[in-house]
Amino acid sequence: TTMASKAVAVLLLVFLQGSAFGIKLTGNGYTDILIAINPKVPEDPVLITQIEEMIKEASRHLLNATEKHLYFKEVAILVPPNWNKGNYSRAETEVYDKANIIIDEPNKLHGDQPYTLQYGECGSEGRYIHLTPDFMLNDDVSKYYGPRGKVFVHEWAHLRWGVFDEYNEEKPFYLSGSLIEATRCTIKITGKYIHKRDQKDCTTDPVTGLYTKDCVFYPDKQQTTSASIMYNQGLNAVNEFCTKETHNTEAPNIQNRLCGNRGVEEVITSLSVDAGVAVVPTPPSILPTFTVVQRWQRVVCLVLDVSGSMAAGSRMLNLRQAATLFIQKIVEDQAYVGIVQFTNTATIREPLTLIDGKVSRDKLVGRLPPSASGGTDICAGVEKGLEVNTIPIIGDVIILLTDGESSINCQIRVKDSGAIVHTITLGPNANINVKDLSDISGGKYHNAADGVDSNDLVDIFASHTISDGSLTKQTIQLESTGLNMIGWFNGSVSIDRTIGNNTSFLVIYERSPPDILVLSPFTRTYDTSHFKHDAPAKTLTLDIEGTAETGKWKYSLLNKESTAQSMSMTVTSHAVSEAISPVMVKTHMSQLSSNGSKPMLVYADVNQKGVPVILADVTATLMSDRGVKYELKLQDNGAGADAFRHDGIYSSYFTELTTGKYSLKVKVHNNDGTARFSLRRHSGALYIPGYVVDGQVVMNPPKPPVSEDDLQADVGSFSRTAIGESFSVSLPPGVPPPNFPPNKITDLNAEIEGDKVMLTWTAPGEDMDQGTAMAYEIRFSEDSDLLRSNFSTAHLVTYNLSPKTAGSPEKLSFTLFSIIKNGTTLFFAAKAEDKSFLKSETSNIIQVTKIVPKAPVPSPTDAPGGPDTSGGGVNITVIVISVTTVTMVACLIASVTMCSIKSRRVNHVTVDHNPTERLSCPGLSLQAGVFSFVFGVGFLVLGVLFLCWVNGSQLEAAECRYL
């Protein structure tokens, strides 16, 4: 029996290891790829056909680009619930929120440009690829990006391998030595530099030494190089990624900045999720297979633990309060909901009930379990939940809540059922292994702390809103806060112009109902009498009729008892209309489990239909199952944990890792109205400006502009609360908490001002982006590869600068007289060091070139009498000619004087009967003229050289260059 048990355990372990939810690499083929179509996209069978053709074409391109190693094998297409013309299979674990590729309407920022939402770290998987119906169906739109299959491979590299674009619209050119190059990879991509307005050769900016802003690099239609897809996927000859040998390490693009100047192939093989994957022989057929599925009505069974441990403290009360909120406010009409309770056995308390109004909701709330006792058998509850759900149960949902421990041996049953299981553990002693049920079924895992004031359980149930891509149907949580206190509990919540329908205020208390006062921004006052009181559940609810007023709502709760009690306030709302997309917030951790070997990152995405919302106040709260709370300020500054400035992705490192389970909650506020929409685009396919064909530029229409007026408008005051999946930390026994180095500096910048170099960057911390580092190590070289491969051997910059607190701007200026000359190119990089002498990774490598601006060629307006446009500068020509003229006149006067003196001397000594000859003095006049001319020209040359030497800023003047 023991051997049999061990064999089952081994088989189960192997099963779980191969069943992680999400994209898988099976052999050389990618499986479990999910493409979801948004409900706003009209039903069109041609769209399904186009998706399939794109993936087939992409599979061939991917196989070629990866040396016959990788291809697409199995793809599911999830169509919206409102499509009714096709014969679609019922979805199993496929849900919109888990989609890898989304087909949706264009947004204001990207239009029809294919793009990928990436959160940051090089080598980390992205969130999803975004494609539009017009890109998929309209050849006139897609041709400006290239073949759809190759465009998809470009985006797949972002999504799967965490690489970045090799072009840079903000820095399209750079200096490589004395040559101006287009930002591209490889450098072997040939083309012409042409003014986009008049199609003439580009001119150079005398200040930067680069081409002017209206210059565009048009690649030759025919190329001799095959790389790179991450630069220009539209070129016919380009069908590979850059290798270590072909990668352009100098180009100022995001790939070099975030990936340490590594090429795409190097990232794939050394940093990505597919690094080190064994290569197996490619099968004869690489055509992917497709399934088209659709989610039907939502079917949810609440499987609730009522064992003896649930009777402790306020756990049963918390359960009833959270489940009541879910039934009354969260689950949508026309869904089916059932209730199961379990101890060491399981019982159906209420079979599936159609949600079709207040009566059905009240009936379900009345059937919630009232008390707890007995043992715990988690899988008994799961089995009963599967029994409650209809036949077939494919695609149905179980929300499982437990605070206890028992063996978990129903993983295979859950996997085979096709149901999605969301698991919730309550308190510190719950079995973490229930997370396996979520992992294999595509569900979410959450851990909730005990106590009314934590509000965790309410938040978790509130997060289980509909997930079909329809933002107007989703319940949006605005506020969630609680305190244990005596007296008044005050706060505020902002209702913005994107929400306001079905707004609800929910007050939860521990023992006795508080007095309540809610003030709307303008006209209404609500007191306790306006709230509906549910005494058994200890809740009070206020539903705002119609559309809630826009602005700041204030609330006050008064605990009338003489001792402290826990109270909480939760506010939810919905989109104001179908026409206006609400501001949404999503949050997650970079990983859901950690052994402490590397820091974890907290992310929050704040956007309105894909358009980033920036300058908001974002705070993450991480609560351990032992009740320890950590608060982190999330930043969108393009430094530390944050990869891109002003992209609406707010980030921070979480470094205080100790063993346990953690919950994640993010609050976003814009109380002062400073938040704005951003023009910052996500990683995406290059819009091709045109090509050079037979020496002539064939231009494409300009990329559709983004309206800055729309995107820079004030978002208005708003409040949001978002819940992320919980995560766990398990440090090796006896190992102290990890000590992390400062984070890598990723925004190092350099400029040359005269003979000085000015460096700027954002300060890292003592532990990643937390605290204050101890010192910096700054080095430079004329060889960028030296800084990357052998940083410690480059030239060291000596300085007197104490690091500031993490997130602060740093500035350092120093002089390099003996090195900086006109045309000199230097590369700089930096490291930070903490008090334990741990050093950060080498920063991004920044390039700077000394350029002395050229003086403008004199124009007619510079002639005497014309307007003075010199700005007070020295005009060498005027000064030198003037001085030379005066000198020549002086020499001539001197010659005449000498002649006159000599004539008088001669007349005095001798007698001359020819007065004319005596007065002409011909020999001396010739000598005087020659002397004046030679002396004048010499003085002219010496004067120009002297002035060029004295006034260094004029060294590029025409006279100096001529000399």
Side-chain angles (χ1 to χ4, degrees), residues 438-452:
S438 299
D439 291 342
I440 64 176
S441 67
K444 300 175 182 178
Y445 166 70
H446 292 98
N447 180 74
D450 284 326
V452 172

Side-chain angles (χ1 to χ4, degrees), residues 301-307 310 316 319-320 323 327 338-343 345-347 349 367-369 371 381-382 398-403 424 457 461:
C301 185
L302 305 181
V303 178
L304 308 174
D305 186 347
V306 292
S307 61
M310 284 293 293
M316 283 303 296
L319 182 155
R320 287 184 59 84
I327 294 168
I339 302 173
V340 166
Q341 68 177 35
F342 70 92
T343 56
T345 60
T347 305
R349 286 195 60 85
R367 296 297 295 156
L368 291 171
S371 60
V382 172
I398 286 177
I399 299 178
L400 169 66
L401 168 65
T402 181
D403 75 336
I424 305 169
L457 209 53
F461 272 87

Side-chain angles (χ1 to χ4, degrees), residues 470-516:
S470 177
L471 299 180
T472 55
K473 294 181 181 178
Q474 290 192 21
T475 302
I476 301 170
Q477 194 165 2
L478 310 184
E479 178 68 295
S480 173
T481 186
L483 286 174
N484 185 278
M485 61 177 299
I486 302 173
W488 287 100
F489 170 21
N490 302 313
S492 66
V493 60
S494 294
I495 307 289
D496 60 278
R497 54 187 171 84
T498 69
I499 57 169
N501 284 351
N502 301 320
T503 302
S504 176
F505 289 75
L506 172 66
V507 175
I508 297 174
Y509 61 91
E510 184 179 5
R511 295 187 299 272
S512 62
D515 283 344
I516 309 172

